[in-house]
Amino acid sequence: MRTIGLLSDHPPDEIPASHRDLAQCPPVAALSTVMPDGYPQTSVVWCDFDGQCVRVNTMLGFAKERNMRRNPRVTLLCYDPRRPLRYLEVRGTVAEMTDAGAAGHLDALASKYAGRPVRFFGDVIPASFAETETPVLCRIRPVRVTALDVTGPTRRDGEEGKQMIGLIAPGSLPIPSSHLDLLTRPICGVFTTLGPGGQPQSTLVWAGLDRRCALVTTSLERQKGRNLLGNQRVSLLLVDPGNTSRFIQIRGDAELLTQGAREHLDALTRKYTGHPACFGHVYPRAQRLRETRVICRIHPRRITLDAIHIADH
């Protein structure tokens, strides 16, 4: 069955009603900022929408907080990991960062996500952190909004298989074995590239492994492919669908390979859908002739796991 979907761009400040729920406490919100060395940094955050801006909450001194003060261009990708073919990407500018009302907003977010009234300090994390951490409320004004809603292929057997893409030697990746499954299971990842002006752009992608590198696939005609030709700095975030506080972020350099790209895409299609070939199932067969497929091998420079209070969060 060929994928049938809706991909739409919306004017500035407009989040479509069809995807407004993904701006209000989505299961996963992936915020991408830009590090001082020019690499995108992607982390899991809580967010909501005040009618004009998407709001996130972080802590004073966290990497993303420092990044937003230095460079206000950010991207937020909101989705449900159990339904990843429907997502909302908000590229925007940080309009305000303040500690005024930030603690109350953080408690409100924690209560929405918990489904009951809670306090962030004391119920979500130890109360002692309130003595050392200062919440910061960040309002992100949308510049470009992309909403995707796809009815497409899923695994026929309903199982999250353990197929692996490429040659993987146990222990060869610079990440703990406890998180290898996030790269070998059919879990969609948040792939962030940088546009010509340095604006982060995030999309959901299929991911795989090849020795020490994470792999994604795209085409040079797509926006992220064009971004990669101009800037090889990328990040890839994978979140456990069964426990969204468990994730891995890989930040590194992209190497683009055309040889074997279509075969790799078919291998990913088998992994994620159980179907032997991509074109004719996910994409129309005619699209095969219009695209230059590439494998993006991500050579890791920094890997971040799911701890909250670490220097690179």
Side-chain angles (χ1 to χ4, degrees), residues 111-152:
S111 299
K112 288 179 182 178
Y113 276 90
R116 58 185 175 84
V118 298
R119 299 292 296 270
F120 182 77
F121 293 111
D123 293 321
V124 179
I125 66 173
S128 59
F129 279 117
E131 301 175 4
T132 59
E133 304 292 352
T134 302
V136 179
L137 171 60
C138 309
R139 299 178 73 243
I140 301 169
R141 188 173 302 283
V143 173
R144 174 145 182 194
V145 175
T146 300
L148 179 74
D149 196 351
V150 174
T151 301

Side-chain angles (χ1 to χ4, degrees), residues 72-76 90-94 140-144 199-200:
R73 292 173 294 186
V74 302
T75 293
L76 194 69
V90 179
R91 293 178 228 170
T93 302
V94 179
I140 301 169
R141 188 173 302 283
V143 173
R144 174 145 182 194
Q199 173 77 47

Side-chain angles (χ1 to χ4, degrees), residues 12-220:
D13 299 325
E14 181 179 328
I15 294 179
S18 61
H19 287 67
R20 190 67 58 87
D21 62 301
L22 290 179
Q24 290 282 9
C25 300
V28 175
L31 176 69
S32 292
T33 61
V34 181
M35 296 290 289
D37 59 7
Y39 285 85
Q41 186 243 20
T42 305
S43 54
V44 179
V45 297
W46 289 343
C47 80
D48 64 5
F49 183 59
D50 67 7
Q52 292 185 327
C53 293
V54 181
R55 302 185 298 182
V56 301
N57 209 300
T58 185
M59 299 294 169
L60 184 68
F62 274 19
K64 54 181 170 286
E65 189 267 347
R66 300 194 307 270
N67 291 345
M68 286 187 284
R69 289 191 187 278
R70 186 184 57 259
N71 183 346
R73 292 173 294 186
V74 302
T75 293
L76 194 69
L77 191 103
C78 305
Y79 69 103
D80 183 341
R82 297 191 179 278
R83 191 185 171 190
L85 295 180
R86 177 177 179 265
Y87 68 77
L88 176 74
E89 185 207 13
V90 179
R91 293 178 228 170
T93 302
V94 179
E96 180 185 26
M97 298 179 69
T98 180
D99 59 359
H105 176 252
L106 187 55
D107 286 342
L109 277 179
S111 299
K112 288 179 182 178
Y113 276 90
R116 58 185 175 84
V118 298
R119 299 292 296 270
F120 182 77
F121 293 111
D123 293 321
V124 179
I125 66 173
S128 59
F129 279 117
E131 301 175 4
T132 59
E133 304 292 352
T134 302
V136 179
L137 171 60
C138 309
R139 299 178 73 243
I140 301 169
R141 188 173 302 283
V143 173
R144 174 145 182 194
V145 175
T146 300
L148 179 74
D149 196 351
V150 174
T151 301
T154 57
R155 290 194 61 82
R156 297 192 185 115
D157 56 13
E159 299 177 356
E160 286 193 348
K162 296 183 179 179
Q163 296 96 329
M164 297 184 180
I165 305 299
L167 302 173
I168 305 170
S172 65
L173 285 176
I175 60 173
S177 58
S178 61
H179 286 68
L180 278 174
D181 67 296
L182 297 182
L183 285 157
T184 58
R185 291 159 56 194
I187 296 173
C188 288
V190 179
F191 183 53
T192 302
T193 58
L194 296 171
Q199 173 77 47
Q201 179 200 2
S202 297
T203 57
L204 284 178
V205 296
W206 291 346
L209 285 175
D210 179 11
R211 297 182 177 91
R212 297 179 64 86
C213 295
L215 303 177
V216 301
T217 181
T218 186
S219 72
L220 297 182

